[in-house]
Amino acid sequence: MFPSHETLKKNFYIPSAGADAAAAPTGANLYARFAFAGAVCCAITHGAMTPVDVVKTRIQLSPEVYNKGMIAGFRQVVAAEGAGALLTGFGPTAAGYFLQGAFKFGGYEFWKKTFIDAIGVDAARENRTAIYLGSSAIAEFFADVALCPLEATRIRLVSQPSFASGLLSGFARILKEEGVIKGFYSGFGPILFKQVPYTMAKFVVYERAAEAIYATMSTPKDQVAPSTATSVNLAAGIIAGTAAAIISQPADTLLSKINKAPGAEGQSVTSRLVQMAGQLGVKGLFLGLGPRIVMVATLTAGQFAIYGDIKRVLGATGGVEISK
């Protein structure tokens, strides 16, 4: 009446714990999942923060107009240009940070594993801060190569709303009128100056903050509930985002300024940066810091929470753990 045990074994596959472990992603498959999780978390968080970034950029570029704080800045933009202006640059923001997130998070995991393999787990654990800093710096360099053209397009659209109707038209116009290097990579120096220290601070502070939080818990890290892990990621992300925003603020201001308009004929990027820094002074370099802390702390917390959740769903749990 019922099929025999042998018939069931022959016709149906029954997974075992050992088979599941054997099927865990490794190598390129694993790092592709890290990269995808990073791409999604960065695209979502940076895209969602577009209105805040619009106001922050306006405060940096036109302090004589937008000089009453973040909330008043929102009102000024809406009153002058309509609510839709708050989404200016959403296309290049989402696209740019999708690419950047893939290189940043995927690259961070790859380089961290590479360094750990090179010196051994025990030595890496004792020197984990240096591992975090080096891995994030290298990953961010390659991420910025992908991000820079789209970030240049975003800033041009925000600073000159009539420049183009969107991502594709703005990208094409810059390429046609200014070329690849001058149009898209004038801000590469500033973006490295901003993003590399920012990312280094972001990852090392996150890793050490999460480690400190887990150390206060009685349950081992690998046994905590998913909701608890997400909460830890959020808390550590807020701490990391605040530190990273402060460290990278001067370069963020210079990046907004240098991408606002083309430089003078024959003027180098370095001379433009030195000139701008001198004109702005210390106070000017930190214009928009309040809104940027709000934006960066929020998006960093969101990134690490989303990144952790997507990795868990994709089964991308094969990273090497060196925290104590």
Side-chain angles (χ1 to χ4, degrees):
M1 185 175 183
F2 296 101
S4 67
H5 181 64
E6 291 301 319
T7 301
L8 289 173
K9 287 177 64 178
K10 181 178 178 181
N11 292 286
F12 295 93
Y13 169 70
I14 302 175
S16 64
D20 288 342
T26 58
N29 187 10
L30 176 62
Y31 291 104
R33 298 180 191 217
F34 287 146
F36 178 75
V40 172
C41 78
C42 285
I44 290 174
T45 52
H46 280 279
M49 296 303 292
T50 296
V52 176
D53 205 33
V54 167
V55 175
K56 173 194 71 76
T57 303
R58 296 291 174 86
I59 290 172
Q60 290 174 326
L61 298 180
S62 304
E64 70 283 356
V65 176
Y66 299 93
N67 55 12
K68 299 177 182 178
M70 183 177 174
I71 302 301
F74 273 97
R75 293 172 179 163
Q76 285 178 277
V77 171
V78 173
E81 304 169 45
L86 294 173
L87 293 177
T88 302
F90 174 80
T93 296
Y97 283 97
F98 184 90
L99 288 174
Q100 193 235 25
F103 282 98
K104 176 187 289 188
F105 283 86
Y108 175 72
E109 300 283 3
F110 172 80
W111 289 107
K112 185 169 71 170
K113 178 67 162 55
T114 300
F115 286 132
I116 292 169
D117 288 345
I119 66 174
V121 174
D122 292 336
R125 185 169 287 115
E126 293 303 317
N127 298 279
R128 60 193 183 282
T129 297
I131 297 287
Y132 300 148
L133 290 172
S135 302
S136 57
I138 297 171
E140 185 59 44
F141 176 85
F142 291 106
D144 289 342
V145 173
L147 172 66
C148 202
L150 291 155
E151 180 69 357
T153 304
R154 179 195 71 79
I155 291 175
R156 191 67 62 87
L157 292 175
V158 172
S159 62
Q160 301 177 23
S162 61
F163 180 78
S165 59
L167 167 59
L168 294 180
S169 57
F171 190 95
R173 182 176 173 184
I174 293 174
L175 180 62
K176 179 180 179 181
E177 296 180 1
E178 301 172 41
V180 174
I181 301 300
K182 186 177 180 181
F184 294 132
Y185 286 95
S186 289
F188 188 60
I191 208 171
L192 284 179
F193 182 50
K194 178 188 85 166
Q195 288 293 132
V196 171
Y198 160 80
T199 299
M200 292 170 73
K202 169 179 170 177
F203 277 102
V204 75
V205 174
Y206 164 78
E207 295 274 17
R208 298 309 293 255
E211 180 180 326
I213 294 170
Y214 279 118
T216 66
M217 299 181 179
S218 58
T219 305
K221 178 180 177 180
D222 58 356
Q223 296 177 22
V224 299
S227 59
T228 301
T230 300
S231 298
V232 172
N233 288 337
L234 285 169
I238 289 173
I239 298 169
T242 300
I246 295 170
I247 289 171
S248 61
Q249 175 64 21
D252 184 66
T253 300
L254 290 175
L255 179 64
S256 294
K257 289 286 186 182
I258 204 168
N259 279 313
K260 182 178 181 180
E265 188 68 31
Q267 186 180 24
S268 69
V269 173
T270 302
S271 65
R272 289 178 67 193
L273 290 175
V274 172
Q275 181 182 24
M276 289 175 182
Q279 292 172 344
L280 289 168
V282 174
K283 183 178 180 181
L285 288 171
F286 282 89
L287 284 172
L289 178 61
R292 189 158 185 268
I293 287 177
V294 172
M295 182 184 76
V296 174
T298 301
L299 70 84
T300 301
Q303 281 175 10
F304 281 114
I306 295 170
Y307 180 63
D309 289 346
I310 294 178
K311 283 201 304 179
R312 186 166 58 247
V313 170
L314 295 178
T317 56
V320 179
E321 184 62 69
I322 56 174
S323 62
K324 290 186 176 179

mmCIF file of all heavy atoms in Angstrom, residues 23-56:
data_model
loop_
_atom_site.group_PDB
_atom_site.id
_atom_site.type_symbol
_atom_site.label_atom_id
_atom_site.label_comp_id
_atom_site.label_asym_id
_atom_site.label_seq_id
_atom_site.Cartn_x
_atom_site.Cartn_y
_atom_site.Cartn_z
ATOM 1 N N ALA A 23 27.340 21.891 0.565
ATOM 2 C CA ALA A 23 26.785 22.740 -0.477
ATOM 3 C C ALA A 23 26.967 24.218 -0.181
ATOM 4 O O ALA A 23 26.561 25.059 -0.976
ATOM 5 C CB ALA A 23 25.301 22.429 -0.647
ATOM 6 N N ALA A 24 27.568 24.578 0.962
ATOM 7 C CA ALA A 24 27.767 25.982 1.307
ATOM 8 C C ALA A 24 28.645 26.651 0.254
ATOM 9 O O ALA A 24 29.615 26.053 -0.223
ATOM 10 C CB ALA A 24 28.402 26.102 2.686
ATOM 11 N N PRO A 25 28.313 27.890 -0.132
ATOM 12 C CA PRO A 25 29.083 28.558 -1.186
ATOM 13 C C PRO A 25 30.521 28.825 -0.764
ATOM 14 O O PRO A 25 30.798 29.124 0.403
ATOM 15 C CB PRO A 25 28.320 29.871 -1.394
ATOM 16 C CG PRO A 25 27.598 30.111 -0.108
ATOM 17 C CD PRO A 25 27.231 28.745 0.386
ATOM 18 N N THR A 26 31.429 28.710 -1.704
ATOM 19 C CA THR A 26 32.843 28.981 -1.462
ATOM 20 C C THR A 26 33.410 29.707 -2.670
ATOM 21 O O THR A 26 32.764 29.794 -3.721
ATOM 22 C CB THR A 26 33.641 27.679 -1.242
ATOM 23 O OG1 THR A 26 33.488 26.837 -2.403
ATOM 24 C CG2 THR A 26 33.165 26.932 -0.004
ATOM 25 N N GLY A 27 34.614 30.223 -2.536
ATOM 26 C CA GLY A 27 35.305 30.829 -3.659
ATOM 27 C C GLY A 27 34.543 31.971 -4.302
ATOM 28 O O GLY A 27 33.944 32.808 -3.627
ATOM 29 N N ALA A 28 34.567 31.986 -5.645
ATOM 30 C CA ALA A 28 33.910 33.075 -6.382
ATOM 31 C C ALA A 28 32.419 33.136 -6.089
ATOM 32 O O ALA A 28 31.833 34.231 -6.039
ATOM 33 C CB ALA A 28 34.147 32.888 -7.885
ATOM 34 N N ASN A 29 31.799 31.985 -5.887
ATOM 35 C CA ASN A 29 30.370 31.945 -5.577
ATOM 36 C C ASN A 29 30.075 32.676 -4.269
ATOM 37 O O ASN A 29 29.123 33.446 -4.161
ATOM 38 C CB ASN A 29 29.912 30.482 -5.485
ATOM 39 C CG ASN A 29 28.409 30.359 -5.338
ATOM 40 O OD1 ASN A 29 27.664 31.321 -5.482
ATOM 41 N ND2 ASN A 29 27.938 29.155 -5.038
ATOM 42 N N LEU A 30 30.916 32.472 -3.277
ATOM 43 C CA LEU A 30 30.741 33.133 -1.985
ATOM 44 C C LEU A 30 30.947 34.639 -2.102
ATOM 45 O O LEU A 30 30.130 35.426 -1.614
ATOM 46 C CB LEU A 30 31.724 32.550 -0.971
ATOM 47 C CG LEU A 30 31.743 33.210 0.411
ATOM 48 C CD1 LEU A 30 30.401 33.065 1.107
ATOM 49 C CD2 LEU A 30 32.861 32.629 1.268
ATOM 50 N N TYR A 31 32.011 35.057 -2.788
ATOM 51 C CA TYR A 31 32.305 36.489 -2.880
ATOM 52 C C TYR A 31 31.330 37.217 -3.785
ATOM 53 O O TYR A 31 31.082 38.418 -3.607
ATOM 54 C CB TYR A 31 33.754 36.694 -3.312
ATOM 55 C CG TYR A 31 34.715 36.271 -2.226
ATOM 56 C CD1 TYR A 31 35.416 35.067 -2.312
ATOM 57 C CD2 TYR A 31 34.867 37.038 -1.078
ATOM 58 C CE1 TYR A 31 36.254 34.657 -1.287
ATOM 59 C CE2 TYR A 31 35.700 36.643 -0.051
ATOM 60 C CZ TYR A 31 36.392 35.449 -0.153
ATOM 61 O OH TYR A 31 37.208 35.037 0.876
ATOM 62 N N ALA A 32 30.751 36.515 -4.745
ATOM 63 C CA ALA A 32 29.691 37.113 -5.558
ATOM 64 C C ALA A 32 28.477 37.430 -4.686
ATOM 65 O O ALA A 32 27.804 38.458 -4.874
ATOM 66 C CB ALA A 32 29.287 36.168 -6.691
ATOM 67 N N ARG A 33 28.196 36.580 -3.710
ATOM 68 C CA ARG A 33 27.080 36.828 -2.790
ATOM 69 C C ARG A 33 27.389 37.994 -1.857
ATOM 70 O O ARG A 33 26.516 38.808 -1.564
ATOM 71 C CB ARG A 33 26.772 35.559 -1.994
ATOM 72 C CG ARG A 33 26.329 34.407 -2.887
ATOM 73 C CD ARG A 33 26.028 33.150 -2.108
ATOM 74 N NE ARG A 33 25.863 32.008 -3.024
ATOM 75 C CZ ARG A 33 24.994 31.032 -2.852
ATOM 76 N NH1 ARG A 33 24.205 31.016 -1.792
ATOM 77 N NH2 ARG A 33 24.913 30.041 -3.714
ATOM 78 N N PHE A 34 28.634 38.065 -1.395
ATOM 79 C CA PHE A 34 29.042 39.221 -0.595
ATOM 80 C C PHE A 34 28.863 40.501 -1.413
ATOM 81 O O PHE A 34 28.348 41.506 -0.919
ATOM 82 C CB PHE A 34 30.517 39.103 -0.187
ATOM 83 C CG PHE A 34 30.796 38.070 0.871
ATOM 84 C CD1 PHE A 34 31.988 37.359 0.866
ATOM 85 C CD2 PHE A 34 29.883 37.805 1.882
ATOM 86 C CE1 PHE A 34 32.268 36.424 1.849
ATOM 87 C CE2 PHE A 34 30.145 36.852 2.864
ATOM 88 C CZ PHE A 34 31.340 36.165 2.845
ATOM 89 N N ALA A 35 29.313 40.473 -2.664
ATOM 90 C CA ALA A 35 29.243 41.650 -3.524
ATOM 91 C C ALA A 35 27.791 42.051 -3.788
ATOM 92 O O ALA A 35 27.447 43.242 -3.758
ATOM 93 C CB ALA A 35 29.962 41.382 -4.853
ATOM 94 N N PHE A 36 26.928 41.065 -4.053
ATOM 95 C CA PHE A 36 25.524 41.375 -4.309
ATOM 96 C C PHE A 36 24.865 41.975 -3.071
ATOM 97 O O PHE A 36 24.124 42.961 -3.166
ATOM 98 C CB PHE A 36 24.775 40.105 -4.736
ATOM 99 C CG PHE A 36 23.300 40.330 -4.975
ATOM 100 C CD1 PHE A 36 22.866 40.982 -6.119
ATOM 101 C CD2 PHE A 36 22.362 39.922 -4.045
ATOM 102 C CE1 PHE A 36 21.505 41.206 -6.337
ATOM 103 C CE2 PHE A 36 21.009 40.140 -4.252
ATOM 104 C CZ PHE A 36 20.576 40.782 -5.404
ATOM 105 N N ALA A 37 25.147 41.402 -1.903
ATOM 106 C CA ALA A 37 24.583 41.934 -0.664
ATOM 107 C C ALA A 37 25.047 43.367 -0.439
ATOM 108 O O ALA A 37 24.266 44.246 -0.043
ATOM 109 C CB ALA A 37 24.963 41.056 0.519
ATOM 110 N N GLY A 38 26.337 43.634 -0.717
ATOM 111 C CA GLY A 38 26.861 44.987 -0.574
ATOM 112 C C GLY A 38 26.262 45.955 -1.573
ATOM 113 O O GLY A 38 25.961 47.101 -1.240
ATOM 114 N N ALA A 39 26.071 45.497 -2.810
ATOM 115 C CA ALA A 39 25.480 46.352 -3.838
ATOM 116 C C ALA A 39 24.055 46.758 -3.462
ATOM 117 O O ALA A 39 23.679 47.931 -3.563
ATOM 118 C CB ALA A 39 25.478 45.618 -5.183
ATOM 119 N N VAL A 40 23.268 45.800 -3.017
ATOM 120 C CA VAL A 40 21.871 46.083 -2.668
ATOM 121 C C VAL A 40 21.774 47.000 -1.458
ATOM 122 O O VAL A 40 21.018 47.977 -1.452
ATOM 123 C CB VAL A 40 21.106 44.769 -2.404
ATOM 124 C CG1 VAL A 40 19.711 45.065 -1.859
ATOM 125 C CG2 VAL A 40 21.002 43.947 -3.683
ATOM 126 N N CYS A 41 22.572 46.723 -0.430
ATOM 127 C CA CYS A 41 22.471 47.537 0.788
ATOM 128 C C CYS A 41 22.888 48.979 0.523
ATOM 129 O O CYS A 41 22.273 49.917 1.042
ATOM 130 C CB CYS A 41 23.266 46.921 1.933
ATOM 131 S SG CYS A 41 25.058 47.167 1.892
ATOM 132 N N CYS A 42 23.904 49.192 -0.301
ATOM 133 C CA CYS A 42 24.350 50.557 -0.593
ATOM 134 C C CYS A 42 23.371 51.293 -1.513
ATOM 135 O O CYS A 42 23.102 52.485 -1.318
ATOM 136 C CB CYS A 42 25.744 50.530 -1.220
ATOM 137 S SG CYS A 42 27.060 50.180 -0.038
ATOM 138 N N ALA A 43 22.841 50.608 -2.515
ATOM 139 C CA ALA A 43 21.878 51.240 -3.420
ATOM 140 C C ALA A 43 20.623 51.663 -2.673
ATOM 141 O O ALA A 43 20.102 52.772 -2.868
ATOM 142 C CB ALA A 43 21.525 50.291 -4.564
ATOM 143 N N ILE A 44 20.123 50.799 -1.801
ATOM 144 C CA ILE A 44 18.903 51.103 -1.049
ATOM 145 C C ILE A 44 19.125 52.274 -0.097
ATOM 146 O O ILE A 44 18.349 53.241 -0.060
ATOM 147 C CB ILE A 44 18.429 49.869 -0.260
ATOM 148 C CG1 ILE A 44 17.894 48.802 -1.216
ATOM 149 C CG2 ILE A 44 17.343 50.247 0.751
ATOM 150 C CD1 ILE A 44 17.538 47.490 -0.538
ATOM 151 N N THR A 45 20.191 52.208 0.683
ATOM 152 C CA THR A 45 20.398 53.233 1.712
ATOM 153 C C THR A 45 20.757 54.590 1.111
ATOM 154 O O THR A 45 20.200 55.616 1.512
ATOM 155 C CB THR A 45 21.489 52.791 2.700
ATOM 156 O OG1 THR A 45 22.674 52.411 1.981
ATOM 157 C CG2 THR A 45 21.020 51.620 3.539
ATOM 158 N N HIS A 46 21.668 54.615 0.146
ATOM 159 C CA HIS A 46 22.026 55.897 -0.469
ATOM 160 C C HIS A 46 20.864 56.463 -1.281
ATOM 161 O O HIS A 46 20.641 57.678 -1.289
ATOM 162 C CB HIS A 46 23.259 55.730 -1.356
ATOM 163 C CG HIS A 46 24.551 55.716 -0.604
ATOM 164 N ND1 HIS A 46 25.189 56.852 -0.183
ATOM 165 C CD2 HIS A 46 25.318 54.678 -0.169
ATOM 166 C CE1 HIS A 46 26.308 56.533 0.470
ATOM 167 N NE2 HIS A 46 26.404 55.219 0.484
ATOM 168 N N GLY A 47 20.117 55.594 -1.968
ATOM 169 C CA GLY A 47 18.954 56.069 -2.706
ATOM 170 C C GLY A 47 17.917 56.679 -1.790
ATOM 171 O O GLY A 47 17.338 57.742 -2.084
ATOM 172 N N ALA A 48 17.675 56.032 -0.650
ATOM 173 C CA ALA A 48 16.679 56.539 0.308
ATOM 174 C C ALA A 48 17.097 57.866 0.929
ATOM 175 O O ALA A 48 16.244 58.671 1.316
ATOM 176 C CB ALA A 48 16.449 55.504 1.410
ATOM 177 N N MET A 49 18.413 58.111 1.017
ATOM 178 C CA MET A 49 18.905 59.343 1.628
ATOM 179 C C MET A 49 19.101 60.472 0.626
ATOM 180 O O MET A 49 19.655 61.520 0.963
ATOM 181 C CB MET A 49 20.222 59.059 2.353
ATOM 182 C CG MET A 49 20.113 58.092 3.517
ATOM 183 S SD MET A 49 18.931 58.626 4.788
ATOM 184 C CE MET A 49 19.770 60.062 5.430
ATOM 185 N N THR A 50 18.636 60.297 -0.611
ATOM 186 C CA THR A 50 18.804 61.316 -1.641
ATOM 187 C C THR A 50 18.298 62.693 -1.204
ATOM 188 O O THR A 50 18.992 63.702 -1.405
ATOM 189 C CB THR A 50 18.120 60.888 -2.955
ATOM 190 O OG1 THR A 50 18.759 59.714 -3.462
ATOM 191 C CG2 THR A 50 18.211 61.987 -4.012
ATOM 192 N N PRO A 51 17.103 62.836 -0.607
ATOM 193 C CA PRO A 51 16.637 64.170 -0.194
ATOM 194 C C PRO A 51 17.588 64.854 0.786
ATOM 195 O O PRO A 51 17.855 66.058 0.669
ATOM 196 C CB PRO A 51 15.277 63.891 0.453
ATOM 197 C CG PRO A 51 14.810 62.637 -0.208
ATOM 198 C CD PRO A 51 16.043 61.818 -0.399
ATOM 199 N N VAL A 52 18.120 64.088 1.748
ATOM 200 C CA VAL A 52 19.063 64.663 2.707
ATOM 201 C C VAL A 52 20.340 65.088 1.991
ATOM 202 O O VAL A 52 20.908 66.153 2.267
ATOM 203 C CB VAL A 52 19.382 63.656 3.831
ATOM 204 C CG1 VAL A 52 20.430 64.215 4.782
ATOM 205 C CG2 VAL A 52 18.117 63.292 4.595
ATOM 206 N N ASP A 53 20.794 64.275 1.052
ATOM 207 C CA ASP A 53 22.018 64.583 0.328
ATOM 208 C C ASP A 53 21.847 65.813 -0.552
ATOM 209 O O ASP A 53 22.782 66.602 -0.725
ATOM 210 C CB ASP A 53 22.435 63.376 -0.518
ATOM 211 C CG ASP A 53 23.929 63.367 -0.803
ATOM 212 O OD1 ASP A 53 24.702 63.821 0.072
ATOM 213 O OD2 ASP A 53 24.324 62.925 -1.888
ATOM 214 N N VAL A 54 20.654 65.993 -1.120
ATOM 215 C CA VAL A 54 20.372 67.184 -1.925
ATOM 216 C C VAL A 54 20.529 68.441 -1.069
ATOM 217 O O VAL A 54 21.191 69.408 -1.457
ATOM 218 C CB VAL A 54 18.955 67.117 -2.545
ATOM 219 C CG1 VAL A 54 18.552 68.482 -3.111
ATOM 220 C CG2 VAL A 54 18.902 66.069 -3.643
ATOM 221 N N VAL A 55 19.918 68.440 0.115
ATOM 222 C CA VAL A 55 19.995 69.601 1.001
ATOM 223 C C VAL A 55 21.425 69.825 1.477
ATOM 224 O O VAL A 55 21.921 70.958 1.494
ATOM 225 C CB VAL A 55 19.040 69.426 2.204
ATOM 226 C CG1 VAL A 55 19.207 70.578 3.195
ATOM 227 C CG2 VAL A 55 17.595 69.356 1.727
ATOM 228 N N LYS A 56 22.124 68.746 1.846
ATOM 229 C CA LYS A 56 23.519 68.848 2.283
ATOM 230 C C LYS A 56 24.389 69.467 1.197
ATOM 231 O O LYS A 56 25.202 70.362 1.459
ATOM 232 C CB LYS A 56 24.063 67.468 2.652
ATOM 233 C CG LYS A 56 25.558 67.438 2.948
ATOM 234 C CD LYS A 56 26.097 66.037 2.973
ATOM 235 C CE LYS A 56 26.143 65.396 1.600
ATOM 236 N NZ LYS A 56 27.249 65.884 0.755
#
